[in-house]
Amino acid sequence: MEMWDIYDKDKRRTGRTMKKNDWCLKDGEYHLTVLGVVAHTDGRFLITKRVETKAWAPGWWEVSGGACQAGEDSKDAVLREIKEETGLEVSGWDGGYLFSYKRENPGEGDNYFVDIYRFIADFDEADIHLQEEETDGWMLATLDEIKAFAAQGIFLHYDSIKRAFELTPTEKENEYRNKIMKGG
């Protein structure tokens, strides 16, 4: 049975755990979730479509993510979630932690923090291997395509994570682009 750590309002582990999806949290208690944006160096983003059998948001588009398991830190969780959901091993890629946000649902037992990560590389589409019980397809989408899904109300968490889709070239990305421009 999967267990999750319970965190306090300052995002510190309390030493207590909860069962996965057992919405028992009191006000002021949280669990930790991660989202991992996978970006190609060409500026497109790997997004997946949720299977129609999902209880929540079936058929919607999303980025990889899920809950941190008990004892797991958020970086390990996001690397695990991306690997499980897409088959991609992103630990050596450019990028990492970007920002966090939290949601409070008073009286519902489901308060949570979300750590957002972004990883960037020139990866091969043949390396993508979806977790079929969770996903019903994928695409490398432009920011405009993602915004269009969001405008239709079918892209999970978009308003909370849209900053993660704002690519600012890193030194390594600029080096890569310069190499391509020179024909190397």
Side-chain angles (χ1 to χ4, degrees), residues 1 27 31 60 77 83 88 96 107 115 125 133 141 145 147 152 162 174-175:
M1 171 179 304
D27 292 349
H31 65 87
W60 287 25
K83 178 74 172 166
L88 296 173
D115 286 352
E125 293 180 31
E133 60 273 10
E145 289 169 322
K147 285 179 178 179
Q152 295 172 50
K162 61 186 171 187
N174 285 332
E175 180 180 310

Side-chain angles (χ1 to χ4, degrees), residues 12 47 94 96 135 153 173:
R12 292 185 303 236
I47 61 173
D94 284 348
T135 56
E173 289 173 301

Side-chain angles (χ1 to χ4, degrees), residues 44-49 61 85-86 123-130 135-141:
R44 294 180 298 160
F45 301 91
L46 176 60
I47 61 173
T48 57
K49 189 173 185 181
W61 291 91
E85 294 176 11
T86 69
F123 60 92
D124 189 331
E125 293 180 31
D127 295 333
I128 299 169
H129 302 286
L130 297 183
T135 56
D136 185 26
W138 63 274
M139 69 184 291
L140 281 173

Side-chain angles (χ1 to χ4, degrees), residues 103 150 155-163:
R103 287 286 179 270
F155 195 93
L156 282 179
H157 313 291
Y158 180 76
D159 287 338
S160 299
I161 67 170
K162 61 186 171 187
R163 291 188 340 224

Side-chain angles (χ1 to χ4, degrees), residues 108-125:
E108 294 181 20
D110 182 21
N111 306 315
Y112 53 92
F113 291 103
V114 183
D115 286 352
I116 312 302
Y117 290 79
R118 181 179 61 220
F119 299 96
I120 305 167
D122 178 24
F123 60 92
D124 189 331
E125 293 180 31

